[in-house]
Amino acid sequence: MRKWICLLSVLAALPAMAQEDYLARARKLSKQYIGIDSHIDTLQRVLIGKVDIGKRSNQGHADLPRLREGGVRAPFFALWVPTYFKGAEAVRRTLDLRDVMQQVLDRYPDQIELATSAAAIERIARAGKIAAVLSAEGGHQIDDDLAVLREYRRIGILSMTLSHFRNNDWADSSTDKPVHNGLTEFGKQVVREMNRIGMIVDVSHVSDKTFYDALAVSTKPVLVSHSSCRALSDVARNVTDDMLRALAKNGGVIGINFGEGFLNPKDAELLKKSINAISFQAPDLTGKALDDYAATEYRRDLEQSVKPFATIDDAVAQIDHAVKVAGIDHVGIGSDFDGIVAPPRGLEDISKMTYLAAALLKKGYRDEDVKKIMGGNTLRLIRQVVGQ
Ligand SMILES: [Zn+2]
């Protein structure tokens, strides 16, 4: 009898032991790649919440210690400006975000450094620091002026999404009624100029037609920084299988978004409702009054309590689907941490990223494949766009 109990307890412990093995393997493997997440919204917490991301916190989803813990050594910090910031106000807001990023860089020079090329990312990661990649989130932020776009590139902003939640003057958004039938002529000029100055064209948030227009114009691979697959979760922010195939042809990369509605169809309904609830009415405010409005909106978003159905298994299924359709060289991670309401169970914050690598190993992905997904593909894209 005793022997049986002993055997049973060994059997019960087996799955746990196997899980540990994958995690140990993933942790070892994470030393061999530069973990890249092509979209986190942590700068909103710094600008609005005055959070010190040099210290580990259990609030929000990312800070420098948790990035290190998760092996994410090159996060794309989004400079997200809501579309109700119009014209010069959107430029001002972008500079405010760039300024708080600089405050972090100046305060923790031993922990984090700005990176504007693949070579810089490699050098900074080798030095044991976080390589900060900057990304503007919303084409309206250039105020319809290519000189502003070029200035952004000069102050270290390496990529830009062509639109955000609403259409702008030259690009249709996936979450608005189309008015331009994709990109306008000026929108196409924006893409050409981004190609020319070595800036990554990010097609997350754009309408399907804008996506295809951007791919037709771009001579460089494009990035879908934070979207998932519509075949598994049918929301407009995700991409279709046809778009995945076009992306592969272009040489681009999709960073899978961990937002619950992006991952799991049961959560998608709620996401659709909350997108529809976003007001079309922009407040008629400027300056500090507009900043205060944005802070209130931001805090209200955070207060939503959502119990997600999505788990780490949904993230793995999304990655697996994208790999099957687009190929192993075109899939990465764009978690959207600090921009999503309810992260999936098992991937509660960015410190858990190694668990995702472990889950991919468990699914049967080879070490080389996991390295590509966790950062290798996006690093290759940066090198192709920037030229170094
Ligand atoms: Zn976004």
Side-chain angles (χ1 to χ4, degrees):
M1 186 65 186
R2 218 176 146 158
K3 196 166 77 186
W4 283 112
I5 290 171
C6 200
L7 183 62
L8 282 174
S9 61
V10 166
L11 283 174
L14 259 182
M17 277 168 61
Q19 185 60 40
E20 279 303 305
D21 281 350
Y22 286 116
L23 193 57
R25 238 179 92 193
R27 288 210 166 110
K28 223 168 123 193
L29 190 62
S30 73
K31 310 266 186 295
Q32 298 170 35
Y33 61 79
I34 296 174
I36 300 187
D37 183 329
S38 54
H39 196 93
I40 61 171
D41 269 312
T42 308
L43 283 183
Q44 299 294 321
R45 290 173 54 231
V46 181
L47 178 68
I48 298 170
K50 310 280 175 250
V51 171
D52 176 4
I53 58 166
K55 297 193 172 64
R56 197 184 200 291
S57 163
N58 48 20
Q59 303 288 305
H61 305 143
D63 44 47
L64 304 186
R66 282 185 285 176
L67 281 160
R68 277 195 298 271
E69 232 174 280
V72 178
R73 290 185 281 168
F76 280 49
F77 286 94
L79 281 66
W80 167 55
V81 173
T83 46
Y84 51 75
F85 281 80
K86 304 281 181 199
E89 287 294 327
V91 179
R92 179 179 64 82
R93 186 70 168 184
T94 307
L95 295 180
D96 284 350
L97 285 158
R98 178 66 186 83
D99 180 65
V100 292
M101 182 78 243
Q102 193 61 42
Q103 288 175 31
V104 173
L105 296 167
D106 290 348
R107 188 166 178 187
Y108 298 105
D110 51 336
Q111 289 191 56
I112 183 165
E113 201 179 321
L114 181 68
T116 56
S117 68
I121 289 172
E122 286 172 324
R123 174 183 58 76
I124 295 164
R126 253 199 315 274
K129 294 195 252 186
I130 304 285
V133 180
L134 305 188
S135 155
E137 192 181 12
H140 65 295
Q141 289 171 244
I142 64 168
D143 193 14
D144 304 339
D145 188 335
L146 294 180
V148 175
L149 175 75
R150 289 189 286 270
E151 271 318 306
Y152 284 172
R153 181 64 180 84
R154 290 179 192 119
I155 58 173
I157 299 175
L158 201 62
S159 80
M160 182 175 81
T161 65
L162 298 180
S163 78
H164 195 255
F165 263 113
R166 294 287 169 250
N167 303 332
N168 52 44
D169 292 336
W170 45 269
D172 284 337
S173 161
S174 62
T175 39
D176 202 346
K177 294 176 202 72
V179 293
H180 305 302
N181 189 29
L183 281 178
T184 66
E185 201 37 57
F186 178 74
K188 291 173 187 171
Q189 266 185 53
V190 172
V191 170
R192 285 187 205 106
E193 189 65 353
M194 290 176 83
N195 282 168
R196 191 185 71 81
I197 63 179
M199 201 165 171
I200 298 165
V201 175
D202 185 343
V203 285
S204 260
H205 280 291
V206 303
S207 74
D208 292 9
K209 180 63 167 54
T210 304
F211 171 92
Y212 287 112
D213 282 358
L215 260 69
V217 174
S218 183
T219 56
K220 305 263 176 76
V222 305
L223 178 66
V224 185
S225 66
H226 59 304
S227 299
S228 302
C229 306
R230 222 178 281 171
L232 301 188
S233 184
D234 186 14
V235 290
R237 278 280 287 103
N238 285 345
V239 297
T240 64
D241 286 0
D242 189 66
M243 288 159 89
L244 283 172
R245 284 186 281 269
L247 184 73
K249 231 187 220 165
N250 157 274
V253 173
I254 180 171
I256 295 296
N257 189 316
F258 296 171
E260 70 285 357
F262 292 75
L263 293 182
N264 185 303
K266 286 191 201 141
D267 295 311
E269 292 313 310
L270 206 64
L271 177 66
K272 282 185 208 168
K273 264 187 217 141
S274 75
I275 286 173
N276 290 336
I278 294 171
S279 169
F280 266 95
Q281 216 57 51
D284 189 17
L285 301 168
T286 56
K288 189 176 177 307
L290 184 56
D291 292 348
D292 290 346
Y293 175 87
T296 307
E297 286 285 294
Y298 174 76
R299 293 201 179 97
R300 206 197 52 198
D301 281 352
L302 282 187
E303 278 164 13
Q304 296 177 63
S305 76
V306 176
K307 263 194 146 169
F309 291 97
T311 70
I312 186 170
D313 295 336
D314 291 298
V316 171
Q318 285 278 358
I319 291 169
D320 196 49
H321 181 82
V323 167
K324 282 197 175 103
V325 179
I328 187 67
D329 294 321
H330 304 285
V331 183
I333 307 295
S335 68
D336 212 358
F337 274 136
D338 281 327
I340 55 179
V341 180
R345 264 174 294 132
L347 276 174
E348 285 80 5
D349 66 20
I350 209 147
S351 72
K352 296 282 181 72
M353 213 60 106
T354 327
Y355 287 76
L356 181 65
L360 289 168
L361 290 170
K362 193 176 171 192
K363 177 112 186 136
Y365 278 80
R366 298 173 310 154
D367 286 7
E368 290 314 304
D369 298 338
V370 174
K371 284 168 96 172
K372 284 181 177 181
I373 294 165
M374 298 306 289
N377 289 334
T378 306
L379 190 65
R380 181 265 302 160
L381 179 141
I382 296 169
R383 186 171 283 117
Q384 280 179 301
V385 172
V386 178
Q388 55 177 317

